[in-house]
Amino acid sequence: MATQFLGEYEVPVDDKGRIFLPAELRRNLEPEADDTLIVVRGLDGCLTAHPRNSWAQIAERMQQLPQTEQKVRLYYRGTLSQAAELKLDRQGRVSVPRKLLDRAGITDRMVVIGGLDHLEFWNPEAWQVCLDQAESSLEEVAETLDLS
């Protein structure tokens, strides 16, 4: 069964940028991930964390993009220059580089949400704004999707 990260968790961030990844999320890391996450600048102001084994597939697809196109080069530079490989310790902690936390406006608290095959790290206030937007258009968007 493929990785399925679900739920929303608010966690403290210490002065060194360390967080405890909730046990419910750690349990869903496949052994092939080797307790390692690749964290990149995400969309909508969050950070996106991919299990290492899933990231390998994304990187392979990215390498197929035409690097002669400026938008591809800009995307590479904007995401990969800020990327970090993070290994969870035995207690389930991981240290997120300050430059990434700053990019997402994360200080002493972070919201971690499951996105099926990845996690997202959010500033709590920005997450609430995003959640409010989703709530106001959920039914409208659902009507356009064929999920049944």
Side-chain angles (χ1 to χ4, degrees):
M1 184 169 163
T3 300
Q4 288 193 19
F5 296 114
L6 304 171
E8 171 187 324
Y9 307 85
E10 187 162 337
V11 298
V13 179
D14 75 11
D15 292 341
K16 296 179 182 177
R18 285 183 304 211
I19 65 164
F20 278 101
L21 194 63
E24 296 86 354
L25 299 174
R26 289 195 314 269
R27 278 195 293 271
N28 288 328
L29 274 174
E30 296 173 348
E32 297 83 9
D34 192 30
D35 289 332
T36 303
L37 298 171
I38 307 301
V39 180
V40 298
R41 180 180 178 183
L43 303 176
D44 302 317
C46 72
L47 302 176
T48 304
H50 300 272
R52 182 164 63 182
N53 56 317
S54 298
W55 177 257
Q57 297 166 1
I58 293 168
E60 197 172 301
R61 288 195 312 268
M62 287 177 73
Q63 289 174 339
Q64 303 304 312
L65 297 173
Q67 294 191 29
T68 54
E69 292 185 23
Q70 184 181 25
K71 65 183 177 183
V72 171
R73 294 191 307 273
L74 290 173
Y75 181 77
Y76 268 40
R77 292 171 186 149
T79 56
L80 301 179
S81 66
Q82 303 295 305
E85 183 174 285
L86 310 178
K87 176 94 168 160
L88 278 84
D89 68 15
R90 290 184 195 173
Q91 290 80 36
R93 291 179 305 190
V94 65
S95 292
V96 182
R98 183 56 55 191
K99 67 181 177 182
L100 282 170
L101 295 173
D102 290 347
R103 168 99 34 215
I106 296 169
T107 54
D108 61 337
R109 309 261 339 137
M110 170 193 297
V111 175
V112 181
I113 66 163
L116 290 181
D117 64 343
H118 67 278
L119 300 169
E120 292 181 355
F121 299 164
W122 286 86
N123 164 296
E125 292 80 20
W127 170 242
Q128 189 58 54
V129 169
C130 184
L131 192 57
D132 290 345
Q133 287 177 325
E135 290 288 335
S136 69
S137 63
L138 195 59
E139 285 80 12
E140 181 181 325
V141 171
E143 290 176 5
T144 67
L145 304 175
D146 184 18
L147 296 176
S148 57

